[in-house]
Amino acid sequence: MKTAWEGKLLNYLKNKGLRHSEARTKVASVVAESEEHFDIQQLVARVQKKYKDIGAATVYRTVKTLVEAGILRETFQGSAGVSLFEFTSEDHHDHIVCVDCGSIFEFHDEALEAIQARTVQSHGFEEVRHQHVIYARCRLLQKGTPE
Amino acid sequence: MKTAWEGKLLNYLKNKGLRHSEARTKVASVVAESEEHFDIQQLVARVQKKYKDIGAATVYRTVKTLVEAGILRETFQGSAGVSLFEFTSEDHHDHIVCVDCGSIFEFHDEALEAIQARTVQSHGFEEVRHQHVIYARCRLLQKGTPE
DNA sequence: GTCGATGCAAAGCATTTGCACAGAA
DNA sequence: TTCTGTGCAAATGCTTTGCATCGAC
């Protein structure tokens, strides 16, 4: 049985005439196991921990490929100023980042998406993707820290 | 007569116990003249064109100060992967960036802001700021170009 | 066998930092 | 005078690239 990301990857590589190499599969599999938001440096570390023979440059090159294949999604800049990525799931969501503790909370609001779509269209654009990040404080109301 | 940014700068420096140096004023004045979205490299070029004696490091250091003072706002990453800044005006707005031509369109939608505020609050957060960028195509009738 | 993909190390680049000097307070 | 701010250059750290080799097709 083939997982969704394997299908996407094979399909993308085939369409682009790219090769189905071992390194690409290995990096993709590590990405698929990563639930959280991560930057490329962290991914390099994880990949190299599991597969000693993969160079950092390959991870950088593969990440670009995976984003184009729709397997990875570039989200927003982390505190270090580098882009964070996440494994693409079916459901679209946006992010709230706590400026105090750095925790990342995912949310999805149909009404918000609908209004956004209307706004974009009314200005004559056709949306490709969007990045909506809200920086906020999560401890104000003494609620639990969102995971 | 004092402009808004001069007031903000003096006030911020005073509150923080920082010095009102010539370099800070010069960089701020160049920022105030810049209407568009720009990255720090571009700002360095503009500053040094007008004032030969200001180092790049000072511009980097001053940009941080101006952001904290509320005179500059960090918006989103440009195509080169570096952050773009804009001079802070009174009206809040978000951005639509054309993925084809790179042009930047500013929009403001009250309904969208209202729903966003509701969403943030319902999850127990207190918003500090947000970054909402929509990547889209500005030429609606043009077909995409899959290679 | 071809030619794209990879690993390694070097290069590239934006940004930060160390340090001696300049200049606000 | 005191001590922060600045200019310069070196250092840093992430990312890309050149090149010889490897491997998918």
Side-chain angles (χ1 to χ4, degrees):
Chain A
M1 170 185 161
K2 201 179 291 180
T3 62
W5 68 262
E6 287 174 307
K8 275 188 187 175
L9 181 58
L10 289 175
N11 190 53
Y12 176 78
L13 295 177
K14 188 168 187 177
N15 282 337
K16 287 283 184 177
L18 302 174
R19 291 177 182 172
H20 180 215
S21 71
E22 204 178 330
R24 287 210 249 248
T25 306
K26 285 177 175 173
V27 173
S29 73
V30 173
V31 158
E33 291 166 2
S34 306
E35 292 304 321
E36 339 84 77
H37 303 79
F38 56 88
D39 61 36
I40 303 192
Q41 297 280 313
Q42 294 172 316
L43 180 59
V44 168
R46 286 182 202 161
V47 168
Q48 295 188 333
K49 185 178 174 186
K50 191 164 182 181
Y51 307 104
K52 319 277 190 219
D53 59 333
I54 293 187
T58 297
V59 177
Y60 276 90
R61 287 186 278 234
T62 304
V63 162
K64 284 189 177 176
T65 304
L66 297 180
V67 168
E68 285 166 17
I71 293 169
L72 257 190
R73 184 189 291 155
E74 186 169 359
T75 58
F76 55 93
Q77 281 196 326
S79 53
V82 296
S83 287
L84 299 185
F85 295 82
E86 65 184 3
F87 183 62
T88 303
S89 52
E90 288 317 304
D91 63 306
H92 165 72
H93 58 255
D94 293 311
H95 300 90
I96 300 178
V97 181
C98 180
V99 296
D100 288 331
C101 67
S103 64
I104 298 168
F105 179 80
E106 300 177 349
F107 72 92
H108 178 74
D109 190 313
E110 277 302 343
L112 197 151
E113 299 282 329
I115 290 191
Q116 174 184 268
R118 192 197 64 190
T119 300
V120 172
Q121 282 176 29
S122 73
H123 289 297
F125 287 88
E126 182 191 28
E127 174 166 351
V128 175
R129 67 180 190 284
H130 68 260
Q131 181 192 81
H132 194 170
V133 193
I134 298 167
Y135 296 92
R137 280 180 223 288
C138 69
R139 287 179 300 194
L140 187 76
L141 302 178
Q142 295 302 328
K143 288 199 172 186
T145 302
E147 42 280 289
Chain B
M1 173 184 162
K2 201 180 290 179
T3 61
W5 69 261
E6 287 173 307
K8 276 188 185 176
L9 180 58
L10 289 174
N11 190 51
Y12 176 79
L13 294 177
K14 187 169 186 177
N15 282 337
K16 288 283 183 176
L18 302 174
R19 292 177 181 172
H20 178 216
S21 71
E22 203 178 330
R24 288 210 249 248
T25 306
K26 285 177 176 173
V27 172
S29 72
V30 173
V31 158
E33 291 166 3
S34 305
E35 292 303 323
E36 339 85 75
H37 303 78
F38 55 88
D39 61 36
I40 303 192
Q41 297 281 315
Q42 295 172 316
L43 180 59
V44 168
R46 285 181 202 162
V47 169
Q48 295 189 334
K49 185 177 175 186
K50 191 164 183 181
Y51 307 103
K52 318 277 191 220
D53 59 333
I54 293 188
T58 296
V59 176
Y60 276 90
R61 286 186 278 233
T62 304
V63 162
K64 284 188 176 177
T65 304
L66 296 180
V67 168
E68 286 166 16
I71 293 169
L72 257 190
R73 183 190 290 154
E74 186 170 358
T75 59
F76 55 92
Q77 280 196 325
S79 53
V82 295
S83 287
L84 299 184
F85 294 83
E86 65 184 2
F87 182 61
T88 302
S89 53
E90 288 315 305
D91 63 306
H92 165 71
H93 58 255
D94 293 311
H95 300 90
I96 300 179
V97 181
C98 180
V99 295
D100 287 332
C101 68
S103 64
I104 298 169
F105 179 81
E106 301 178 348
F107 72 92
H108 178 73
D109 189 314
E110 278 301 343
L112 196 151
E113 298 282 329
I115 289 191
Q116 174 184 270
R118 193 197 64 190
T119 299
V120 172
Q121 282 176 29
S122 72
H123 290 296
F125 287 87
E126 183 195 27
E127 175 166 352
V128 174
R129 67 180 190 286
H130 68 261
Q131 182 191 80
H132 194 170
V133 193
I134 299 168
Y135 296 92
R137 280 180 223 287
C138 65
R139 286 166 295 189
L140 240 183
L141 302 180
Q142 184 183 320
K143 286 193 170 186
T145 54
E147 302 93 293

